[in-house]
């Protein structure tokens, strides 16, 4: 008797699709055994390698034409990082009504609906817009503001990226519709792990980070996390074990000598938290993957630190808006932000945007312990006095208070 896997490997695609366990019919079952082809719409399989023309016919619709003459219309719905199932079902019902039964979730967090006629694509875009959805972002426009999963699912988050996305989106909304010099991507990550992007290939990146070493209540470590494992969690060996008179590990402390505020210990142990008064974001610009213009490159830091100002982030939003407006007003057609800066030079970029150059920005902080005059990253070698007030004296957040109550210390 043929096994199910053998049958899956040999059965024709049409037969696979009719099977009750096919992802289209039972998405939760066996999807991983299906050949990649099963996930590709038939029109794309027929025209693989044959697409020759791409035309943006509306801010939210792209027409792609194959050399066989077949056409496909891609309607882009710009979505926030989280949407309810009700919203998704509403969009999918419309996709079924006007499309060919296929959608694509894009890397920038958008939903792309495939249609086979311009008439259907335009009708779909109209109905989506009438219902209040944001249809746009194709071509030389803002593609989306992409963020990481942040607080709800992640214990490492330093800032709430969702509020940054909302505050920025409210201000940059029109850039998803109007023609810009080139494509624009904005990525926000709530910590330097940068799952949402920011350090990498985004035109504008925003990354949350703590400007001081995490706070720790050393004596609580022994009940919340094993000190020995906590030591191993620190990539730079900045955590020191506290031992009792018999040499047994009873706690730990952050020495603050070489801590780079990566937050790994915070992720590892609930007795460690960021100081809410010393969290914020850095802003980077000029990341790009494509080899057009000045070629690919990583984004560079242009604003080292903006203190967190949730929920509307006025300073951050004003700075990003100014960067985008300067680029829109001065860039040549086809110039991504990186290409634009390469052409005019960094000095001119800072002059046009009015942003303080990083070294100027650092100046007022220069006298504060831990900040160097030559770089944006805090240096903790001089923070000894400051460290003392962090260790063992502060209850950082509600969770710590709850922990204390639970353990009746
Ligand atoms: S970037 Fe940081 S906060 Fe965001 S999902 Fe990744 S680890 Fe979590
Ligand atoms: S924040 Fe990172 S470098 Fe600093 S003590 Fe924690 S794990 Fe070590």
């Amino acid at each position: 008797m043929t096994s199910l896997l053998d049958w899956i490997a040999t059965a024709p695609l049409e037969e696979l699709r009719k099977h009750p366990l096919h992802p289209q019919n039972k998405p939760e079952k066996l999807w991983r055994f299906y050949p990649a082809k099963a996930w590709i719409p038939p029109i794309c399989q027929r025209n693989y390698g044959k697409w020759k023309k791409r035309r943006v016919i509306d801010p939210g619709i792209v027409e792609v034409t194959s050399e066989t003459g077949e056409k496909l219309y891609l309607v882009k719905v710009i979505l926030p990082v989280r949407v309810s199932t009700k919203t998704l079902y509403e969009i999918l019902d419309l996709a079924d009504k006007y499309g060919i039964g296929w959608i694509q979730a894009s890397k920038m967090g958008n939903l792309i609906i495939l249609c086979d006629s311009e008439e259907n694509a335009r009708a779909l875009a109209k109905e989506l817009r009438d219902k209040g959805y944001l249809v746009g972002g194709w071509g030389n426009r803002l593609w989306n503001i992409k963020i990481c999963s942040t607080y709800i699912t992640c214990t490492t988050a330093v800032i709430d990226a969702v509020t940054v996305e909302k505050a920025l989106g409210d201000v940059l909304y029109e850039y998803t519709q109007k023609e810009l010099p080139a494509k624009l991507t904005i990525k926000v990550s709530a910590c330097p792990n940068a799952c949402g992007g920011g350090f990498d290939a985004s035109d504008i990146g925003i990354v949350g980070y703590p400007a001081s070493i995490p706070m720790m209540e050393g004596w609580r470590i022994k009940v919340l996390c094993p000190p020995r494992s906590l030591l191993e969690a620190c990539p730079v060996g900045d955590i020191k074990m506290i031992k009792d008179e018999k040499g047994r590990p009873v706690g730990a402390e952050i020495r603050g000598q070489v801590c780079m505020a990566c937050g790994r210990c915070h992720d590892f142990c609930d007795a460690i938290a960021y100081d809410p008064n010393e969290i914020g974001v850095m802003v980077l610009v000029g990341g790009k993957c494509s080899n057009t213009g000045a070629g690919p490159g990583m984004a560079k830091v242009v604003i080292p630190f903006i203190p967190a100002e949730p929920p509307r982030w006025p300073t951050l939003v004003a700075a990003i808006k100014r960067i985008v407006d300067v680029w829109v007003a001065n860039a040549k057609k086809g110039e991504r932000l990186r290409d634009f800066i390469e052409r005019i030079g960094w000095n001119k970029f800072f002059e046009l945007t009015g942003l303080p150059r990083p070294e100027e920005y650092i100046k007022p902080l220069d006298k504060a312990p831990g900040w160097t005059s030559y770089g944006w990253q805090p240096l903790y070698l001089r923070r000894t006095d400051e460290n003392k007030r962090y260790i063992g004296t502060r209850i950082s957040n509600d969770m710590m208070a709850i922990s204390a109550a639970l353990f009746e210390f």
Side-chain angles (χ1 to χ4, degrees), residues 58-211:
D58 175 285
I61 307 173
V62 158
E63 176 197 78
V64 282
T65 311
S66 160
E67 61 191 33
T68 63
E70 275 195 293
K71 291 188 178 197
L72 193 59
Y73 296 83
L74 312 174
V75 180
K76 186 196 271 187
V77 192
I78 295 181
L79 293 177
V81 70
R82 294 190 191 103
V83 289
S84 66
T85 46
K86 184 170 177 288
T87 302
L88 270 182
Y89 277 123
E90 186 174 60
I91 298 175
L92 295 181
D93 284 344
L94 290 176
D96 279 342
K97 184 172 164 192
Y98 294 104
I100 58 170
W102 288 82
I103 56 154
Q104 183 201 342
S106 84
K107 194 179 80 170
M108 281 300 288
N110 300 309
L111 199 67
I112 297 166
I113 302 168
L114 279 57
C115 299
D116 58 2
S117 78
E118 182 173 339
E119 193 188 2
N120 280 347
R122 287 195 184 279
L124 171 61
K126 181 173 182 314
E127 191 157 345
L128 282 165
R129 284 181 178 132
D130 289 347
K131 286 182 183 295
Y133 291 107
L134 183 55
V135 180
W138 276 132
N140 295 344
R141 293 179 176 83
L142 171 61
W143 280 38
N144 197 353
I145 299 166
K146 182 196 173 199
I147 71 169
C148 74
S149 64
T150 197
Y151 279 132
I152 287 185
T153 53
C154 186
T155 53
T156 317
V158 182
I159 57 149
D160 184 13
V162 176
T163 54
V164 176
E165 182 188 35
K166 171 66 178 154
L168 270 178
D170 285 349
V171 171
L172 300 180
Y173 166 87
E174 61 179 298
Y175 295 112
T176 62
Q177 305 297 315
K178 81 175 190 188
E179 183 102 13
L180 304 176
K183 166 186 176 177
L184 176 66
T185 57
I186 299 180
K187 295 179 185 170
V188 188
S189 290
C191 87
N193 286 332
C195 307
F199 288 135
D200 54 358
S202 48
D203 293 293
I204 297 178
I206 297 163
V207 179
Y209 75 104

Side-chain angles (χ1 to χ4, degrees), residues 367-388:
K367 290 194 178 58
W371 287 87
T372 65
S373 54
Y374 51 83
W376 58 269
Q377 194 158 12
L379 180 70
Y380 296 107
L381 288 173
R382 287 177 283 146
R383 294 202 68 142
T384 322
D385 291 342
E386 290 252 301
N387 291 342
K388 282 184 190 145

Side-chain angles (χ1 to χ4, degrees), residues 214 233-236 238-239 254 258-266:
C234 178
V236 292
D238 198 43
I239 300 178
I254 300 175
V258 286
C259 170
M260 55 183 179
C262 70
R264 196 158 177 232
C265 53
H266 165 69

Side-chain angles (χ1 to χ4, degrees), residues 263-279:
R264 196 158 177 232
C265 53
H266 165 69
D267 192 24
F268 184 80
C269 180
D270 283 343
I272 298 173
Y274 306 121
D275 181 344
N277 299 313
E278 296 198 30
I279 55 172

